[in-house]
Amino acid sequence: MVVEIISVGTELLMGNIVNTNAQHIAQKLAHMGLDAYYQTVVGDNPERLRAALDVAYTRGDCVITTGGLGPTKDDLTKEMLISYFGCTPVEDEEALRRLEERAKKRGVPLSESMRKQATVPSGAVVLQNDHGTAPGVIIEKDGRVCIMLPGPPKEMKPMFETACDVFLRKQSNKAFVSMNIKLYSMAEQGFPVGEAQVADRLGALVDGENPTVATYAKEDGCLVRVTAAAKTADEARTLLAPTLAAAKAAIGEEHIRYVEED
């Protein structure tokens, strides 16, 4: 399965907040062995979101959206996607119960704007929100999948794990394991740890396809990531081990600060 991430929110587009949601989701997808080749940020505009979806579904079969599920007028993701997939809007009883209970605890009536969060597409899997108000949903229709998640990271992250348990992990037939080799930044160690120099030492290892070896420049030195894919995480670790050992030998153990699994 090829997954595309669409982050919805004018505040993201304008650079007012950092898009940590896309980073988190991309890392998790990689660990599950699900391919993700593109990420898009779109403002709170239904037509531009529709256009982004049209493009995304030419490149993959699953889209994960974050943001636009709340009670305000600019939270239009769910409404637009109900229209996009030709679904009927229905009220989810459990989501409504949670909203009513929350309003009661606060001693206020449930407003219509808050109540709209309980509206979901007919036939969708509803992901209840244990850390906020807006539920997420999973739509499967005509060979396309859309997973809608809320924007606040404290709500998105646990709900994404629910989506993984309910749907995403079942779509992958492989597991990825990565080991990070962190190098010292001290040139006095006798080994300048710029990315190019490290890549030169690794030689042909960086050309491997499985496991792969990649170098990353960091402010405090350089990181080498060795990644293997297999049917299970244990098999991936076994496959990875010889390449990891070869990379450490090529770099030189004396230049390595630590090695840890990602």
Side-chain angles (χ1 to χ4, degrees):
M1 170 172 280
V2 177
V3 184
E4 189 151 333
I5 303 166
I6 298 181
S7 306
V8 182
T10 301
E11 68 279 10
L12 293 170
L13 196 62
M14 301 298 290
N16 294 329
I17 61 173
V18 178
N19 191 3
T20 59
N21 282 344
Q23 178 190 39
H24 179 84
I25 293 170
Q27 289 173 341
K28 295 294 185 179
L29 291 174
H31 279 291
M32 286 185 283
L34 294 172
D35 295 319
Y37 302 130
Y38 296 91
Q39 297 178 15
T40 301
V41 178
V42 62
D44 297 301
N45 180 285
E47 292 311 311
R48 285 193 279 274
L49 175 55
R50 181 182 292 273
L53 285 164
D54 285 341
V55 173
Y57 283 118
T58 67
R59 303 188 291 217
D61 32 36
C62 177
V63 170
I64 299 176
T65 69
T66 63
L69 303 185
T72 61
K73 289 184 179 180
D74 61 351
D75 288 316
L76 300 171
T77 300
K78 186 167 50 182
E79 288 81 354
M80 200 288 296
L81 282 160
I82 287 174
S83 169
Y84 188 86
F85 283 96
C87 300
T88 302
V90 297
E91 199 165 61
D92 183 74
E93 292 183 3
E94 174 60 15
L96 178 60
R97 183 193 68 77
R98 289 174 178 234
L99 288 167
E100 289 174 336
E101 186 176 275
R102 190 182 185 96
K104 185 178 180 180
K105 286 181 179 179
R106 296 176 61 192
V108 297
L110 182 64
S111 66
E112 285 303 311
S113 60
M114 289 295 291
R115 182 171 185 143
K116 81 163 189 170
Q117 295 176 104
T119 300
V120 299
S122 57
V125 175
V126 180
L127 307 171
Q128 300 298 341
N129 193 336
D130 295 327
H131 302 272
T133 55
V137 297
I138 301 174
I139 300 175
E140 290 187 77
K141 192 171 183 180
D142 301 327
R144 298 179 298 179
V145 178
C146 185
I147 302 173
M148 286 178 264
L149 304 173
K154 69 181 181 65
E155 300 177 30
M156 188 284 298
K157 289 180 180 180
M159 192 180 292
F160 178 73
E161 288 304 314
T162 302
C164 290
D165 292 338
V166 172
F167 180 79
L168 284 171
R169 288 193 180 95
K170 301 173 185 176
Q171 310 309 311
S172 177
N173 60 359
K174 54 186 176 180
F176 280 68
V177 172
S178 295
M179 296 294 294
N180 291 327
I181 305 172
K182 187 65 175 67
L183 307 185
Y184 286 102
S185 60
M186 298 293 290
E188 291 82 357
Q189 297 274 334
F191 176 41
V193 289
E195 184 180 3
Q197 292 94 334
V198 174
D200 286 344
R201 285 216 172 189
L202 292 168
L205 288 172
V206 299
D207 299 324
E209 294 185 359
N210 189 28
T212 60
V213 178
T215 59
Y216 300 91
K218 300 292 183 180
E219 290 185 2
D220 61 344
C222 185
L223 183 76
V224 177
R225 178 170 293 143
V226 184
T227 303
K231 289 184 178 180
T232 68
D234 285 342
E235 290 178 9
R237 291 187 186 95
T238 300
L239 179 64
L240 180 149
T243 301
L244 177 65
K248 290 165 65 178
I251 294 165
E253 293 278 357
E254 68 275 17
H255 304 302
I256 296 173
R257 183 183 298 171
Y258 60 81
V259 179
E260 66 178 10
E261 185 169 325
D262 188 358

